[in-house]
Amino acid sequence: MTATATPTPRWPLPLRAGFRFVFSYLILYLFDPTGEGLPHTVLNHLGVSTRMLHPLRIPWEAAVKWTGEHVFGVAIAGVTSGASDNTYGWVNMACRTAIALAATLLWSWLDRRRLGYVTAHEFLRGLVRLYLVLSLLVFASVKAIPLQFEEINWADLLVTFGEQSPSGLLWRFMGASPGYTSACGIVEIVGLLLLLSRRTTLLGALLCAGALANVLALNLWYQVGVIIVSAHMLVMALFLIAPDARRLADLLLWHRAVPAVRFPPLFQRAWLERAVTVCKYGVFLLLATKMLWTFYNVRSAMIAAAKAQPLAGIWTVEEQELDGQVLPPLVNDARRWKYLIIQQGNGPLAILRPMSGGDIRFQLEISEQSRSFKL
């Protein structure tokens, strides 16, 4: 008897064309030398400088700047990140889209007889899972140990609703409840842990998609400048869910029986399969433990420094002299202090709020012996 090869399933033409575009675009995004793609992410986790990517970055930046100037009529002064919500970030995304469309047309013509892309699809899913795990782990860890959003400090208590920017309001809202922030981070970490296995990828992608949809909504409507990167992460989570969309609809909407999915082993030798699994989870737990421990130590040090500040609080200035003259508390006088706020920032921090409004920040030096302080 001779073994027969498993026939390649025939994909509908729109599905084949759509996959070619998605594949082209995501590869460009994942390996964008100026963004937050896989090369930057892997090197950052390894503690290696990303300077080796600069030779690739220079021509790409030049092409994006040329496109911005000659196609969109906008000048791009500088580049901060390919994933930031600035002019460069949006033009960069437009360039990737145009290149992906051109690649899709060329690919569709050259490969028009192919029936499907099972192997390429599995390869792309692996890259997307790796990117989400490595990239989202940082954001999840800094939420699980509530460090991304600073807790409400003394200065925040004097900020009126009308004085706050949308992003400032979001930061204070999240910082007011460290428990809620930690819960958001834990949900993301659990989702990433589930992404490590093919059997649990769907459940992990559903968790990550829910968390990322919330993050994107907050970024959009509270005007936080990371809409591009959060939108791409959400699209990647949805990409992992897409193959099971019909099965989910049958189960959750139509209440039909759903057939089981087979996951053939990646390797013929069972010990090699187990070794890859152990390495995969081991590396994840090592990275997660390292990040969580680092953020925990930073947060503990900040809390200890804040408790050690004896003058911390909001001080009302009842009388102030300037050059030997007492300044009356006139509401439009920028020289007359209304409040002196002492709190812990990057070291002891003093914030002066004049009668006319607006805060002036100083580093604070306190001398307990002379019972004085210097701004």
Side-chain angles (χ1 to χ4, degrees):
M1 293 180 64
T2 58
T4 58
T6 303
T8 302
R10 183 181 182 86
W11 291 15
L13 180 59
L15 181 60
R16 278 178 281 163
F19 175 77
R20 291 164 186 151
F21 173 77
V22 171
F23 186 95
S24 302
Y25 184 89
L26 288 182
I27 289 296
L28 287 171
Y29 181 84
L30 291 173
F31 294 96
D32 184 351
T34 66
E36 306 296 331
L38 268 174
H40 285 82
T41 305
V42 172
L43 291 176
N44 287 333
H45 279 293
L46 295 175
V48 179
S49 172
T50 58
R51 288 184 176 274
M52 64 180 67
L53 301 175
H54 285 192
L56 299 173
R57 180 174 185 165
I58 293 173
W60 182 265
E61 287 180 358
V64 173
K65 290 181 178 180
W66 184 93
T67 303
E69 182 177 352
H70 293 85
V71 177
F72 295 101
V74 293
I76 301 175
V79 179
T80 55
S81 169
S84 298
D85 296 340
N86 51 27
T87 305
Y88 180 88
W90 293 108
V91 175
N92 189 19
M93 189 171 69
C95 290
R96 284 196 301 264
T97 303
I99 295 173
L101 285 172
T104 301
L105 293 174
L106 181 62
W107 188 357
S108 298
W109 180 68
L110 295 176
D111 203 24
R112 55 188 176 275
R113 290 188 175 87
R114 187 177 295 274
L115 301 178
Y117 296 95
V118 176
T119 303
H121 178 245
E122 287 300 320
F123 170 74
L124 184 59
R125 281 174 65 88
L127 283 180
V128 167
R129 287 163 57 200
L130 177 63
Y131 172 79
L132 285 177
V133 168
L134 293 180
S135 297
L136 198 53
L137 183 58
V138 180
F139 298 103
S141 299
V142 83
K143 290 190 188 79
I145 304 297
L147 201 61
Q148 180 180 8
F149 306 99
E150 296 182 2
E151 293 187 34
I152 297 294
N153 55 43
W154 295 109
D156 291 333
L157 297 177
L158 293 180
V159 178
T160 66
F161 188 87
E163 291 176 315
Q164 300 181 72
S165 64
S167 59
L169 179 60
L170 171 63
W171 245 248
R172 292 180 178 95
F173 159 73
M174 297 293 291
S177 178
Y180 173 75
T181 303
S182 294
C184 293
I186 292 171
V187 168
E188 293 176 3
I189 290 177
V190 172
L192 297 179
L193 184 63
L194 293 170
L195 286 182
L196 295 178
S197 171
R198 289 182 298 162
R199 290 183 179 275
T200 56
T201 289
L202 176 59
L203 180 57
L206 288 169
L207 276 178
C208 289
L212 288 167
N214 180 54
V215 170
L216 178 59
L218 293 173
N219 291 338
L220 275 170
W221 289 295
Y222 282 91
Q223 300 176 16
V224 182
V226 285
I227 296 171
I228 293 177
V229 65
S230 56
H232 280 80
M233 286 185 175
L234 175 58
V235 168
M236 290 183 197
L238 295 176
F239 168 76
L240 296 177
I241 297 171
D244 294 290
R246 178 173 295 179
R247 298 176 66 248
L248 287 172
D250 286 339
L251 176 65
L252 301 176
L253 295 179
W254 313 120
H255 304 287
R256 298 169 179 164
V258 177
V261 177
R262 293 183 58 193
F263 295 94
L266 297 175
F267 305 97
Q268 294 182 351
R269 299 180 184 274
W271 68 267
L272 189 57
E273 188 87 16
R274 288 193 294 268
V276 170
T277 301
V278 170
C279 290
K280 188 166 49 178
Y281 284 96
V283 171
F284 177 84
L285 293 175
L286 180 64
L287 289 175
T289 302
K290 178 184 176 183
M291 286 186 192
L292 292 171
W293 181 248
T294 300
F295 294 146
Y296 173 79
N297 288 331
V298 172
R299 177 174 169 79
S300 299
M302 291 173 60
I303 293 174
K307 290 182 177 179
Q309 177 52 260
L311 299 178
I314 303 172
W315 299 81
T316 301
V317 180
E318 296 181 352
E319 184 177 311
Q320 178 185 353
E321 289 187 8
L322 181 62
D323 296 332
Q325 294 184 352
V326 176
L327 297 178
L330 303 178
V331 294
N332 60 348
D333 192 347
R335 302 174 304 164
R336 175 61 162 83
W337 303 353
K338 185 177 183 180
Y339 297 112
L340 171 63
I341 307 161
I342 297 178
Q343 63 189 38
Q344 191 68 24
N346 185 16
L349 185 67
I351 304 173
L352 294 179
R353 171 162 290 196
M355 296 294 297
S356 59
D359 290 340
I360 309 170
R361 294 173 177 259
F362 297 90
Q363 292 297 317
L364 182 65
E365 294 182 8
I366 300 175
S367 175
E368 296 187 11
Q369 294 180 350
S370 62
R371 298 175 62 83
S372 65
F373 61 84
K374 182 170 66 173
L375 306 182

